Every structure is written in C-alpha cells, then in structure tokens.
Amino acid sequence: MAKDNGKIAIVSGANRGLGLETCRELATLGYRVVLSARSLESAQAAVAELERGDSLRIEPATLDVSSEASIASFAEHARAELPRVDVLVNNAGISMQGFDERVVRGTLGTNFFGALRLTEALRPRLSDTANIVMVSSGMGELSSVTRELRTRFSNPALTLPELVGLANAFIEDVAAGRHSARGWPSSAYRVSKICLNALTRIWARDLPAGMRINAICPGWVRTDLGGPGATRSLAQGVKGIVWAATLTAGGPSGGFFRDGKPIAW
C-alpha cells in the first residue's frame, strides 16, 4: 500500500479517462481518494479496476454534478465521512452532439454550473491549504468570442453574479437564435470552458490566502471524449492535473496551465 500522506482528495467524473487516472496517481502518492461517478455501480467498478493488483486508498461515491440534489447529498456524505478535503478535482465534463438550447443547457449545466455548485457545496469542508483543480480546455480561450465579451470575461473585477449572468445570457441568446449577433461562438463546450476559466480567476481572488485554485488544460487526450485520434496519452494529460492537485505553499493560484506551464486565456 502507498504510504498514507494524511491528505484527502475528491475527483468528480472519475470512473474513466482522466478522472480515473487522476485517482490512480493521487492514491499512489498516498492520498485517500474519493472516486465519484454518476452511479454507485460505475464508481465501484472503477475502484475495483484500480485496486486490481494494487493496494490503494480509494473509495467510491455517487455524484452527478448536473443534479443539485445529488451535489447536496454528496456534500452531506463528505460532511459525515471526511474530516476535511485537501484536494478537489472538478473533472466531470461532457461534450454533446449538435448545437441548440438543450445542448447548451446540458453542457453548461455540467461543465460550468456543476463545478460551481460542487465547489460551493464543499467549501465548508476544504482545508485551509486546499488545492482546487478545474479541468478545462484550450478551447476555452477567449479568442473565440468578440472583443466586447472578452473584455467582460477578463475584467479583473468580474463578480460571480456577473459571470453567472453571462452564462445565462448565452443560453438565452441561443434559445432566441441571436447568439452569433451577440458575439458568441456556436459551441456550448467552448463557452462552458470560458466560464470555468473565468470562475477560476474570480475564486483565486476571493478564496482565503492559503488555498490555491487553477484551471488545467490536459491537451487533446485519448479518452472517450477526446477520441482515439487524440495526440496525447492519459499519462501526459493527467500530469498537469496532478501537478495542480499537489501544489504546496507558494504555488500559483488563478492561472491557466498545461503541463505545469502557463498558457493564454
């Protein structure tokens, strides 16, 4: 068994791909890891896969970040079972086919609002030196929106209510068929990651000084989401996530990184 380092990590959307490999890496480093998935059966199967041949401290949990009720139930579980949370990896994410109001609501509901609500629900359990990792994407760069929107998203004084307003405005503009005229791309995934990156900067400004939060682009990774033609292995994609999850005092906060190196917003 890996030597227990006394720290606890939660990973969302962790029954496969980047989330699963992140759990493996953190457990190997001695973390007690909560592997969460939308169904308990999926989480249990993933834990069994990781424990095959290894003795790691990984436990399954049910968490659907698109459901406020599921987040509330998971937060209550964390309150009862975990003394604190040292690492939160917001990994759960989807990329839906097509582009319409349903796709936009579903994509932002998981990729942005899911990470927002989960982090808020777990805030009381986060340790004073916690690392929060937002698994983002280079597709969330601001270059895909108009100058006016770039200015609003990159405003150093942007507030959380204003950011939520921007996300909801995108949904409403798509529903009304005016999103292009308002400067939005025809990609729910891109906008969800732009919002996630902006959220990272807001919280880096507002969180207690000892905590760190960073957005991580794993690159184009060979997962179910990335597809078999992707250029990076799981090990390459997870490297930056684990780096951000294991930062210590003096480490960066509020940045956008790939492989531990800053990249453009």
Side-chain angles (χ1 to χ4, degrees):
M1 176 178 288
K3 185 177 179 180
D4 181 4
N5 68 12
K7 295 185 177 181
I8 301 169
I10 292 173
V11 184
S12 68
N15 58 302
R16 59 186 179 181
L18 289 167
L20 185 67
E21 188 62 23
T22 298
C23 289
R24 185 200 309 276
E25 293 284 343
L26 291 177
T28 300
L29 291 172
Y31 287 80
R32 174 186 173 188
V33 178
V34 179
L35 183 159
S36 68
R38 283 182 289 181
S39 75
L40 182 59
E41 293 77 13
S42 294
Q44 289 171 331
V47 170
E49 177 183 340
L50 292 180
E51 289 182 340
R52 189 178 300 125
D54 292 304
S55 184
L56 303 173
R57 299 184 73 214
I58 307 177
E59 53 202 67
T62 306
L63 173 61
D64 179 355
V65 301
S66 69
S67 164
E68 292 186 58
S70 179
I71 289 174
S73 177
F74 180 81
E76 178 60 25
H77 169 79
R79 186 197 67 77
E81 301 296 331
L82 305 177
R84 72 191 173 281
V85 177
D86 300 293
V87 174
L88 172 59
V89 180
N90 282 296
N91 171 73
I94 59 173
S95 179
M96 301 173 67
Q97 296 295 318
F99 183 76
D100 56 21
E101 182 184 358
R102 179 190 66 85
V103 169
V104 168
R105 287 189 182 277
T107 304
L108 267 69
T110 293
N111 296 0
F112 170 60
F113 287 109
L116 166 61
R117 290 167 180 155
L118 177 61
T119 305
E120 286 187 328
L122 293 175
R123 280 279 292 269
R125 307 305 303 157
L126 293 175
S127 70
D128 293 340
T129 57
N131 286 318
I132 304 170
V133 183
M134 300 296 203
V135 180
S136 187
S137 168
M139 292 183 71
E141 294 178 2
L142 286 169
S143 58
S144 65
V145 297
T146 60
R147 180 178 298 177
E148 178 185 354
L149 286 171
R150 285 200 299 271
T151 299
R152 294 178 69 184
F153 274 110
S154 61
N155 181 1
L158 181 69
T159 66
L160 182 55
E162 288 170 343
L163 175 58
V164 170
L166 282 166
N168 285 326
F170 174 59
I171 296 171
E172 292 166 5
D173 288 343
V174 171
R178 62 182 181 231
H179 72 280
S180 294
R182 295 290 177 89
W184 300 104
S186 296
S187 171
Y189 187 81
R190 281 186 181 276
V191 175
S192 73
K193 296 302 185 179
I194 289 172
C195 290
L196 190 67
N197 289 350
L199 177 62
T200 299
R201 290 194 281 187
I202 289 171
W203 274 342
R205 182 187 69 210
D206 297 343
L207 285 172
M211 294 184 186
R212 292 161 296 274
I213 180 169
N214 291 288
I216 302 299
C217 171
W220 188 22
V221 181
R222 290 187 292 276
T223 62
D224 288 349
L225 183 63
T231 57
R232 310 192 93 199
S233 68
L234 272 177
Q236 290 172 312
V238 163
K239 180 180 177 182
I241 298 173
V242 173
W243 168 80
T246 57
L247 288 170
T248 56
S253 186
F256 189 21
F257 298 92
R258 183 185 298 120
D259 298 333
K261 298 177 181 179
I263 59 176
W265 290 98

